[in-house]
Amino acid sequence: MRAPAKPNSPQQEARVQRILRAAARQGAGNGLERVQMQEVAKESGVAIATLYRYFPSKMHLFTAVMQAQIDRIQAYASPPACGDDPVEAVTRLLLEATRQMLGSPLLAHAMMVSNNAAIHATEAEAGQTSASFTQLLLDTAGREKPGDRDIQLARLVEQAWYGVLTAALNQRTPHEQVVDDLRVTCQLLLADWSTT
């Protein structure tokens, strides 16, 4: 499978953003299995060949939707304020990300399944998504010059969050347990970052 094209003009970037928004709406309403690439192309106002140029498969498409979701979260995330505990800042970020994902479970499932499948089909995109989320956690904790241990801890928190979210989406974990599990995860794994 060929590598996806990258937008190289404002018009192309706007087209890609329309595609991602349409895919998110389709994924939220229909789930991954029922999303049709033709319908995404139609809703976003592009030719099907244009859609496949940027996203050669549904896995590419929903991995990109997940990256766009991380970018949106990053836009409102900020490092801890003076005196704010970095562990609490990361916990709040994860709780908000979880709230958003569980607010649209079909879309969350589509993104997560695609990102998992992308590890084999589109390793670069899946790796970028994981690296972006790890960096988001580091930024939120105010780790301006993270060492290898900081990166490892952030990566482990991301993986734990992914597992907690998967259990919640599969309706095995009630909301209160999700919140508690995420708090305990951050407290245990990020104890070295705590200022309290």
Side-chain angles (χ1 to χ4, degrees):
M1 185 176 290
R2 66 165 182 76
K6 301 290 183 202
N8 56 20
S9 72
Q11 294 83 6
Q12 289 179 357
E13 182 58 38
R15 194 173 301 137
V16 165
Q17 292 306 313
R18 283 198 319 270
I19 292 169
L20 293 175
R21 285 191 299 273
R25 282 191 295 274
Q26 294 274 331
N30 301 319
L32 182 64
E33 296 78 19
R34 293 181 53 210
V35 168
Q36 299 295 315
M37 295 292 269
Q38 184 65 46
E39 290 302 312
V40 173
K42 181 178 175 182
E43 183 177 333
S44 59
V46 301
I48 190 71
T50 300
L51 173 62
Y52 279 113
R53 178 173 171 237
Y54 294 110
F55 307 103
S57 70
K58 277 200 280 189
M59 299 306 165
H60 286 88
L61 180 58
F62 282 95
T63 298
V65 171
M66 188 168 200
Q67 180 63 52
Q69 178 99 349
I70 292 169
D71 292 344
R72 274 193 299 281
I73 293 169
Q74 200 158 23
Y76 68 74
S78 59
C82 184
D84 192 11
D85 182 41
V87 176
E88 186 56 33
V90 170
T91 303
R92 281 193 309 268
L93 176 83
L94 291 178
L95 291 173
E96 176 58 23
T98 302
R99 186 191 66 74
Q100 288 185 24
M101 294 286 272
L102 294 179
S104 187
L106 291 176
L107 177 58
H109 180 264
M111 291 186 295
M112 292 173 71
V113 166
S114 295
N115 201 53
N116 281 343
I119 290 171
H120 302 292
T122 59
E123 196 165 324
E125 287 113 354
Q128 177 59 42
T129 301
S130 181
S132 294
F133 199 80
T134 298
Q135 188 60 52
L136 174 58
L137 296 178
L138 292 165
D139 292 346
T140 301
R143 307 305 277 190
E144 294 175 9
K145 295 182 180 177
D148 291 342
R149 174 106 171 131
D150 292 324
I151 294 167
Q152 179 185 38
L153 291 173
R155 196 172 59 247
L156 288 170
V157 167
E158 175 198 355
Q159 291 166 1
W161 172 73
Y162 198 86
V164 170
L165 184 58
T166 299
L169 285 168
N170 292 331
Q171 298 178 345
R172 292 192 313 252
T173 307
H175 178 74
E176 299 78 21
Q177 188 66 51
V178 169
V179 170
D180 190 50
D181 287 353
L182 289 175
R183 287 194 179 284
V184 170
T185 295
C186 291
Q187 289 165 1
L188 291 176
L189 289 174
L190 304 180
D192 293 349
W193 294 1
S194 185
T195 57
T196 59

